Amino acid sequence: MNLILRPVAAEFAKILSTRMWWILALVLFGYIALLAGGLSALFGGVESGAISPDSMNSGGGAGLSTLGSLPPLIYSFAASVGYVFPVLLGALATTGEFRHQTLTPTFLATPRRDRVLGAKTIALFVVGAVLGLVGLAASVGVGALVFNGFGIDPLLADGETWALIGRTVLAMALWAVIGVGLGVLVPSQVASIVIVLAFTQFIEPLLRFASTFTEVTADIGKFLPGAASDALVGASFFTLASPGGSVLEPWQGGLVLLAYGLLATGFGYLISWKRDVT
Amino acid sequence: MPIGAVIEFSNITKRFGQTTAVNDLSFTVEPGRVTGFLGPNGAGKTTTLRMLLGLVTPTSGTATFGGLRYRDLPRPLDTVGAALEAASFHPGRTASNHLGVYTLAAGLPRTRVAEVLQLVGLAEHADQRVGGYSLGMRQRLGLAYSLLGDPGVLVLDEPINGLDPEGIKWIRGFLSSMAAEGRTVLVSSHLLSEVQQSVDDVIIIAKGELVHSGPLSSLDTNVAPQVIVDSPTRETLIAALTDAGLAFTSGRTGLIVAVPDPGQVGHIAFAAGVELSVLHRQKAGLEDSFLALVEGGDSL
């Protein structure tokens, strides 16, 4: 048992002994709090009549009620917007080992490299879940406060809300695992970061949008990682904004995300992790 | 007290594509002695050490510690301590946390961190981020890592690089004391003079092949000794030597005569009534033998 617990403990210590994790957590919190606070105030204002629907260009409040219940939408920002943070942390944790040549002391202390990568995956899964909690503290904390202010039920007594919170934590944890996979697949730190940012902020949203044009592509598009993540969480602005898109069941979304993470890590193990450390 | 294991390389070869970095290398390193692993830059020293430590997979052959490959050691850091040339640190981590990570990985007590930092003289910089360390401090931290498990075998790649004179003196004493305790100490360097004062045995490679192995003194016999002689009246000395039929060349400090025995030269001078100001035997420096061996590798 020690054979896997020890490297896991070491991987946790690696993450916690540099500043990256709390810088990312802080930025995640601020970003989601701003977004959740701003949008819940806007929607809450419209819904409660404090803001006149006419002042919005989008055709008014009638459209908003078709978006379904507001709180889950706002709460889901933690993952649907915040998922880039655990991916980054996972990718940095892996690529940092290549960049700073810490693979040498790591593999000297634990010569079984598969155990090291497994330990890293476990540690990042947990830290990703913690980032999920941070994101939720922002989206649920700030969102519920604002909804309360507008007299809208924040649905915190609703079991479905708590299920969504649980699925969000799981999604964030899985994203961190995907980050680890990306890091071993693309060990260059700069390349990895560019891929994360370009893919999550630009390429995937475009692909998801484009895939909704035909039924065939929509069936493929729902397997994109971001779409799978939204399916797992069960609510997202993106899904609601393109109602034509087909969506996976939450458990399917979770499995698809897990598959991305494990496939990337598995191929990365063969491509870079097992190679000579020179 | 940790007991050193015998390091054994047998027919180890590493090819990177078309280039052969290490070719069919076989030698052993004994406990209780400091062994210098020497060769010019690019000779394959680092690749050989990395194969020994399981970081580079050999194309063929094996390298073992007491018969076990590194990856098969039940407690690697307790058996072998290694410090490799590359600075392997996250710059944002403190020295103490850097070492702490690996005590966790190896199941060692965290108290070892302060102990090894004390041992290498970094105690007061323990909580400083490694990014601000000088090259010499990084070398010491690498050494501290190698000592975490109090191992019986030390494998150090160019440990003297970047150390100040005080550090060099310290590490020489340190290596000798480690060997005196019965540990196996393997130290690589591209300069013989750097380790000459602390090594008992030498393994010399060039272009990935073994060119010499044995005790340090075995390097002595490789180049014939010469006699240096000079006189206030050098012309008479030249005449005497020429008459005696000895070959010589002019050096900076006198005439260099290609005979091993100063007595023979002294006798010739005495017989010819030449006053001498200098007469001694000069061993070719170990460095010269080393260079001759290493350059011999070039012609292969």
Side-chain angles (χ1 to χ4, degrees):
Chain A
M1 201 57 206
N2 278 336
L3 293 178
I4 191 72
L5 280 183
R6 278 182 194 153
V8 171
E11 292 302 325
F12 273 119
K14 279 180 193 171
I15 298 165
L16 298 180
S17 59
T18 60
R19 286 169 289 190
M20 190 51 73
W21 72 275
W22 61 258
I23 292 176
L24 283 180
L26 217 62
V27 176
L28 167 69
F29 185 89
Y31 183 35
I32 301 296
L34 207 69
L35 216 60
L39 285 175
S40 56
L42 180 64
F43 292 154
V46 172
E47 195 87 335
S48 65
I51 299 174
S52 155
D54 297 338
S55 66
M56 293 183 74
N57 296 326
S58 67
L64 278 175
S65 49
T66 62
L67 290 184
S69 168
L70 276 175
L73 177 63
I74 299 295
Y75 299 163
S76 73
F77 282 176
S80 62
V81 177
Y83 73 101
V84 63
F85 291 88
V87 186
L88 269 183
L89 191 65
L92 288 172
T94 329
T95 55
E97 299 262 28
F98 289 95
R99 181 174 167 204
H100 303 300
Q101 298 172 325
T102 42
L103 284 179
T104 294
T106 297
F107 290 159
L108 287 178
T110 315
R112 289 288 307 268
R113 300 186 185 186
D114 48 351
R115 282 189 194 137
V116 177
L117 193 55
K120 200 178 273 298
T121 302
I122 293 169
L124 262 300
F125 182 86
V126 174
V127 175
V130 171
L131 283 183
L133 292 174
V134 170
L136 284 162
S139 69
V140 178
V142 176
L145 219 62
V146 173
F147 285 132
N148 250 334
F150 284 103
I152 298 171
D153 180 6
L155 300 178
L156 289 183
D158 190 335
E160 182 47 43
T161 301
W162 290 99
L164 176 135
I165 287 172
R167 293 196 303 267
T168 301
V169 171
L170 178 62
M172 293 288 270
L174 290 172
W175 277 112
V177 171
I178 292 177
V180 171
L182 177 70
V184 273
L185 218 47
V186 186
S188 154
Q189 191 157 67
V190 173
S192 242
I193 293 172
V194 168
I195 288 172
V196 169
L197 295 180
F199 190 80
T200 61
Q201 306 306 303
F202 183 67
I203 297 171
E204 201 198 14
L206 270 185
L207 281 177
R208 282 178 73 184
F209 180 64
S211 74
T212 58
F213 290 164
T214 75
E215 228 166 88
V216 181
T217 52
D219 279 340
I220 300 168
K222 68 185 175 185
F223 289 102
L224 284 166
S229 173
D230 286 347
L232 168 60
V233 171
S236 98
F237 188 74
F238 202 107
T239 322
L240 293 167
S242 43
S246 58
V247 177
L248 297 170
E249 291 296 312
W251 64 269
Q252 291 171 324
L255 284 182
V256 170
L257 270 195
L258 181 67
Y260 274 113
L262 295 185
L263 281 177
T265 309
F267 279 116
Y269 175 76
L270 298 175
I271 290 171
S272 70
W273 202 253
K274 266 184 71 174
R275 291 184 67 166
D276 290 345
V277 183
T278 52
Chain B
M1 188 59 63
I3 313 267
V6 175
I7 303 175
E8 183 164 15
F9 291 88
S10 44
N11 307 104
I12 204 156
T13 296
K14 180 64 182 183
R15 276 189 283 275
F16 294 106
Q18 294 295 318
T19 3
T20 302
V22 175
N23 190 19
D24 198 30
L25 210 50
S26 298
F27 61 90
T28 56
V29 181
E30 300 292 335
R33 302 175 73 81
V34 179
T35 302
F37 184 39
L38 307 169
N41 286 325
K45 297 187 301 292
T46 299
T47 302
T48 305
L49 295 183
R50 285 186 174 268
M51 286 194 282
L52 173 65
L53 297 165
L55 296 168
V56 166
T57 312
T59 306
S60 62
T62 56
T64 56
F65 300 89
L68 287 176
R69 287 180 308 169
Y70 189 85
R71 79 175 68 151
D72 297 327
L73 295 172
R75 295 182 60 81
L77 286 199
D78 301 39
T79 316
V80 180
L84 297 174
E85 193 173 16
S88 305
F89 318 105
H90 190 296
R93 213 170 265 140
T94 65
S96 175
N97 280 334
H98 167 74
L99 296 175
V101 164
Y102 304 106
T103 56
L104 284 170
L108 296 166
R110 174 85 193 199
T111 50
R112 280 300 289 166
V113 171
E115 286 169 24
V116 296
L117 285 173
Q118 180 76 45
L119 209 58
V120 302
L122 282 179
E124 69 222 65
H125 303 287
D127 296 318
Q128 197 177 320
R129 287 205 186 87
V130 181
Y133 270 32
S134 67
L135 179 57
M137 288 163 81
R138 285 167 196 236
Q139 282 283 26
R140 286 168 187 258
L141 181 55
L143 197 60
Y145 171 80
S146 72
L147 298 173
L148 274 179
D150 196 17
V153 180
L154 280 177
V155 177
L156 310 175
D157 195 8
E158 304 268 359
I160 292 168
N161 248 359
L163 289 183
D164 52 15
E166 191 197 344
I168 294 175
K169 189 171 167 228
W170 172 79
I171 200 167
R172 282 178 178 154
F174 175 78
L175 294 176
S176 305
S177 69
M178 287 283 130
E181 289 172 3
R183 297 179 218 243
T184 311
V185 182
L186 180 60
V187 184
S188 83
S189 177
H190 61 283
L191 291 173
L192 175 66
S193 55
E194 217 175 48
V195 292
Q196 183 174 335
Q197 293 175 38
S198 38
V199 299
D200 304 304
D201 293 331
V202 288
I203 311 277
I204 300 173
I205 66 169
K207 305 222 156 175
E209 306 205 12
L210 186 69
V211 293
H212 181 86
S213 75
L216 182 65
S217 57
S218 67
L219 279 180
D220 262 349
T221 58
N222 279 314
V223 177
Q226 298 163 320
V227 170
I228 309 286
V229 63
D230 206 1
S231 162
T233 53
R234 198 182 268 193
E235 305 75 37
T236 56
L237 179 60
I238 290 174
L241 288 173
T242 313
D243 287 348
L246 292 183
F248 61 89
T249 54
S250 278
R252 193 162 36 84
T253 57
L255 303 174
I256 304 163
V257 189
V259 292
D261 179 18
Q264 188 189 348
V265 178
H267 178 77
I268 290 164
F270 179 73
V274 177
E275 181 190 354
L276 293 184
S277 55
V278 172
L279 175 64
H280 66 89
R281 176 168 36 186
Q282 185 191 16
K283 282 189 198 168
L286 292 176
E287 193 72 35
D288 293 335
S289 322
F290 171 60
L291 288 174
L293 283 167
V294 162
E295 276 152 21
D298 276 345
S299 59
L300 285 175

